[in-house]
Amino acid sequence: VAGNIQSGGGMPVNNIAKWNGTSWSGVGQGLPYVIRELEYFQNKIYITGFLVNTPTSYLVSFDGTSWSSNLGSFDRNVNGIFVKNNDLIIYGYFQLFNTDSVNGIISYNGSSFYYFPKSFRDGVHSAELIDTTIYAMNPSQDTISFFNGSLWTPYYIDSTSWNKLVQLFSYHDSLYFVVDSNYSGATYDYLVLKKLNTDLSIEDILKIRKDHSENIIRNILTVNDEIHVTGFLDHIEDTLALSYFLYDGSLWTNPGKV
């Protein structure tokens, strides 16, 4: 577990802690960074984090004994990391890695870094891996693109002025995304989970009514046949619901406030 934490189960930790089934403890000496992302890759734990009140993010690893020195720095937020085959994919709003000009997404094979072709103005907000294909979302352009091995190719563009693409996720090897819908003629605004079919047709699978501007989705997790949605949420459609929604493959339920 990582973030901006100083204790776990009463034990002092330094922004990252581990659970052995009985108790919490720190991971090595911990880190001075507020940790945003964590991933296991090539028998090491990799994290990205930042120092409070600074825009710079850093990449470091833990080999089970000690933390590495800084592997690199990013001039802006890192939004996510994930593993693709033998590469660690790192994406975010950054435009510089160390002093090199990049465009929001790079990869690391354990010894060297690869810079994807530049394509994303303002970086990458969300990305998803399906089979061996990387999909990336640039919300400022309301575009989802995929990497064909040599360049980024637009896959889906939302041309409606009242929709803003905010998050990608996958379920049963299909691509889904979240739209923040602010149609001026509607009674309410909604966060809408949509399925993007291979023929580029769209299916709405969940509408979350926004009663407040602070209504946001924090996390979407897919496990087996379930989709778990958490955040500051009030309604499924127009029915009162709280914080945590669960989809079992056929029905959305609200197990309760968390």
Side-chain angles (χ1 to χ4, degrees):
V1 176
N4 185 9
I5 53 177
Q6 301 306 313
S7 66
M11 298 296 293
V13 298
N14 195 9
N15 295 319
I16 183 168
K18 61 183 178 181
W19 173 252
N20 64 8
T22 304
S23 61
W24 290 97
S25 62
V27 178
Q29 298 300 310
L31 292 164
Y33 309 124
V34 177
I35 297 172
R36 286 180 59 92
E37 302 292 340
L38 180 150
E39 183 62 83
Y40 186 73
F41 173 64
Q42 295 185 354
N43 298 315
K44 296 179 181 180
I45 296 171
Y46 284 81
I47 71 95
T48 63
F50 62 94
L51 297 171
V52 176
N53 297 323
T54 67
T56 305
S57 294
Y58 301 91
L59 176 69
V60 298
S61 67
F62 183 74
D63 63 7
T65 302
S66 60
W67 288 97
S68 70
S69 57
N70 178 30
L71 297 171
S73 61
F74 306 85
D75 65 323
R76 300 177 193 172
N77 285 357
V78 172
N79 292 330
I81 56 179
F82 61 85
V83 175
K84 176 184 182 291
N85 298 330
N86 295 314
D87 293 306
L88 185 68
I89 309 298
I90 307 160
Y91 65 90
Y93 295 139
F94 52 86
Q95 300 297 300
L96 292 175
F97 176 65
N98 296 326
T99 58
D100 295 334
S101 177
V102 294
N103 213 194
I105 184 165
I106 66 173
S107 68
Y108 178 62
N109 65 10
S111 60
S112 60
F113 290 90
Y114 168 75
Y115 302 158
F116 287 85
K118 293 183 179 181
S119 181
F120 300 105
R121 186 183 70 219
D122 304 324
V124 175
H125 181 73
S126 184
E128 190 68 29
L129 179 68
I130 298 180
D131 293 327
T132 59
T133 302
I134 300 172
Y135 295 86
M137 174 187 287
N138 184 327
S140 66
Q141 297 169 307
D142 286 319
T143 301
I144 299 170
S145 301
F146 71 92
F147 188 64
N148 67 9
S150 60
L151 53 82
W152 291 98
T153 301
Y155 184 62
Y156 172 77
I157 300 174
D158 193 321
S159 58
T160 52
S161 60
W162 57 84
N163 282 343
K164 180 176 178 60
L165 305 184
V166 294
Q167 189 171 350
L168 283 176
F169 68 101
S170 61
Y171 177 63
H172 286 182
D173 292 327
S174 293
L175 192 64
Y176 290 72
F177 61 95
V178 180
V179 165
D180 191 345
S181 182
N182 298 284
Y183 180 52
S184 61
T187 304
Y188 297 102
D189 296 334
Y190 289 89
L191 293 167
V192 186
L193 276 66
K194 295 175 176 282
K195 179 183 179 183
L196 180 57
N197 296 310
T198 54
D199 64 359
L200 300 186
S201 62
I202 303 295
E203 296 178 43
D204 290 358
I205 63 167
L206 176 66
K207 291 177 68 177
I208 301 169
R209 197 175 90 193
K210 293 178 62 179
D211 288 341
H212 313 283
S213 60
E214 296 85 1
N215 286 153
I216 59 172
I217 292 174
R218 290 288 188 189
N219 271 304
I220 298 177
L221 177 67
T222 57
V223 181
N224 298 324
D225 289 325
E226 297 177 337
I227 302 175
H228 301 258
V229 180
T230 63
F232 180 35
L233 310 169
D234 293 325
H235 291 81
I236 297 178
E237 297 286 349
D238 295 320
T239 302
L240 182 66
L242 296 171
S243 298
Y244 172 39
F245 304 153
L246 171 65
Y247 181 67
D248 63 5
S250 61
L251 181 69
W252 285 97
T253 58
N254 177 222
K257 187 173 182 179
V258 294

